[in-house]
């Protein structure tokens, strides 16, 4: 069943990917965004995540698109103001913060950066036999829960408060505004996150998290509950698209030399077990969250985000995947596509 749905999804994505040579020269970004909004507004596939009760209550009709260009122009369609929880998209920015603070090797050696092909909450890595060559650390991935909780645990700080200020600060700088936690989502997820608690406890038992796994799981849950709208996510994607510099505020959020490592992890694991299909259709490093957001990055060209809560079987927003694929391919966003001479 899952396979039939997945094949149908890849066929749909490939159909939109079949833009002549993946580059329609001269496409107007606003018209392209508007057209994708109109085309997918009535699409009713997918279902809100409900394993966190608060997510089931979010309006499934919410649909907003934001594309942000090098000059900080924000091109939008639909509802780009209503906030949803950022969920797993936060994994990218916490990983980026650890890389910024402790270098590319820190994440590669303590967590690992290989694709897992696993679902977002897979525990396979914790018990897995594969280890990062040379360190003996388990091979996880910063975008799959054991590795993501590990990344949160690596952010340095003398207290939970100090660590949290750094995590939210990095998200704020990337979005270009002060974000805050959606308390209803935080409470709902804290009440129901026994699986993540089990992952944290198991990682302490193996010595993969050095101490205080409860703090790591709590801060991870908090970062997943940060409220963002489509515009925030578009700007966050653009910060990664333009070498770590927020194109709206002009702030250099992270060192440009470290951004390609972040994008590489997104490309290999951003949409979990559907990451390969996504890359095949778009070529874009991306990250999804079960709140319904997806960010995608066309390096040097644009950052794009879509918010639409109904998800497919793999936990990725259906409308977001379709809209981003359509828009990016129309605008020549695929980094693997050969540019026409003179463009
Ligand atoms: O770990 C969890 O359950 C969530 N807070 C994050 C999951 C998520 O967004 C997975 N993404 N597609």
């Amino acid at each position: 069943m899952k396979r039939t749905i997945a094949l149908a999804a890849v066929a749909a994505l490939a159909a939109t990917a079949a833009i002549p040579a993946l580059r329609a020269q001269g496409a107007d970004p606003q018209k392209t965004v508007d057209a994708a909004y109109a085309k997918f507004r009535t699409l009713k596939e997918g279902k809100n995540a409900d394993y966190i009760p608060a997510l089931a209550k979010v309006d499934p009709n919410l649909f907003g698109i934001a594309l942000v260009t090098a000059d900080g122009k924000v091109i939008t369609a639909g509802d780009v103001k209503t906030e949803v929880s950022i969920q797993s998209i936060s994994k990218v920015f916490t990983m980026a913060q650890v890389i910024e603070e402790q270098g590319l090797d820190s994440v590669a050696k303590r967590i690992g950066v290989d694709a897992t092909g696993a679902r977002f909450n897979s525990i396979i890595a914790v018990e897995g036999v594969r280890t990062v060559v040379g360190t003996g650390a388990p091979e996880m991935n910063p975008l799959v829960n054991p590795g993501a909780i590990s990344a949160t645990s690596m952010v340095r700080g003398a207290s939970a408060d100090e660590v949290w200020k750094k995590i939210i600060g990095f998200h704020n700088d990337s979005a270009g505004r002060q974000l805050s936690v959606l308390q209803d989502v935080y409470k709902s997820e804290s009440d129901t996150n026994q699986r993540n608690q089990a992952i944290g406890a198991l990682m302490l038992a193996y010595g993969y998290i050095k101490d205080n796994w409860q703090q790591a799981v709590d801060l991870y849950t908090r970062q997943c509950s940060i409220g963002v709208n489509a515009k925030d996510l578009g700007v966050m994607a653009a910060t990664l698209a333009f070498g770590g510099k927020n194109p709206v505020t002009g702030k250099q959020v992270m060192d440009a030399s470290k951004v390609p490592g972040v994008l590489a992890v997104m490309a290999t694991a951003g949409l979990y077990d559907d990451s390969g299909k996504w890359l095949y259709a778009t070529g874009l490093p991306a990250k999804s969250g079960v709140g319904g957001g997806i960010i995608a990055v066309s390096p040097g060209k644009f950052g794009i985000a879509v918010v639409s809560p109904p998800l497919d079987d793999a936990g990725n927003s259906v409308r977001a995947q379709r809209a981003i694929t359509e828009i990016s391919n129309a605008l020549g966003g695929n980094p693997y596509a050969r540019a026409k001479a003179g463009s």
Side-chain angles (χ1 to χ4, degrees), residues 19-28 329-332 340:
I19 308 262
L22 290 174
R23 290 179 61 86
Q25 300 297 315
D28 176 77
N329 287 341
L331 298 177
K340 273 189 189 161

Side-chain angles (χ1 to χ4, degrees), residues 68-319:
V68 183
T69 56
D71 55 0
K73 197 164 171 225
V74 184
I75 295 159
T76 69
D79 182 343
V80 296
K81 290 196 175 147
T82 300
E83 290 183 1
V84 294
S85 51
I86 188 168
Q87 294 297 338
S88 282
I89 299 170
S90 68
K91 291 170 177 169
V92 170
F93 296 89
T94 300
M95 162 183 67
Q97 177 167 40
V98 173
I99 287 176
E100 175 66 359
E101 186 178 74
Q102 299 167 40
L104 283 157
D105 265 7
S106 64
V107 163
K109 288 187 174 158
R110 284 263 311 265
I111 299 175
V113 291
D114 262 340
T116 64
R119 292 183 68 81
F120 75 88
N121 57 4
S122 170
I123 56 167
I124 285 168
V126 189
E127 279 281 332
V129 287
R130 294 170 71 198
T131 54
V132 178
V133 178
T135 69
E139 194 159 278
M140 302 183 275
N141 181 289
L143 302 184
V144 178
N145 287 13
I149 293 167
S150 219
T152 302
S153 82
M154 286 170 72
V155 177
R156 292 184 182 135
S159 64
D161 207 40
E162 211 175 293
V163 175
W164 173 248
K165 281 196 181 118
K166 284 165 81 175
I167 292 174
I168 188 84
F170 197 91
H171 284 74
N172 291 341
D173 288 345
S174 302
R177 78 170 178 106
Q178 194 80 41
L179 303 169
S180 48
V181 167
L182 300 176
Q183 291 299 334
D184 60 326
V185 177
Y186 175 52
K187 182 170 182 334
S188 183
E189 184 158 353
S190 297
D191 289 345
T192 53
N193 68 351
Q194 288 76 21
R195 187 180 174 107
N196 285 339
Q197 291 182 47
I199 289 172
L202 199 54
M203 288 204 298
L204 179 84
Y206 278 113
Y208 304 151
I209 286 185
K210 299 297 167 216
D211 52 29
N212 211 345
W213 64 267
Q214 288 99 333
Q215 176 177 306
V217 173
D218 178 55
L219 290 175
Y220 166 79
T221 308
R222 248 197 269 180
Q223 75 179 48
C224 287
S225 309
I226 295 172
V228 283
N229 56 39
K231 183 177 172 231
D232 296 325
L233 290 174
V235 177
M236 292 171 94
T239 297
L240 296 173
F242 301 109
K245 183 176 181 175
N246 183 321
V248 177
T249 64
K251 180 165 183 162
Q252 190 73 46
V253 180
M254 77 181 293
D255 196 288
S257 68
K258 292 169 176 159
V259 174
V262 174
L263 297 180
V265 179
M266 290 168 73
T268 51
L271 269 72
Y272 305 109
D273 40 340
D274 275 353
S275 297
K277 285 196 275 291
W278 170 261
L279 204 61
Y280 190 74
T282 67
L284 301 181
K287 184 72 201 86
S288 62
V290 289
I294 295 186
I295 62 169
V297 175
S298 179
K301 288 191 175 160
F302 57 78
I304 185 168
V306 173
V307 169
S308 168
L311 312 178
D312 64 14
D313 263 16
N316 302 314
S317 166
V318 176
R319 279 196 288 211

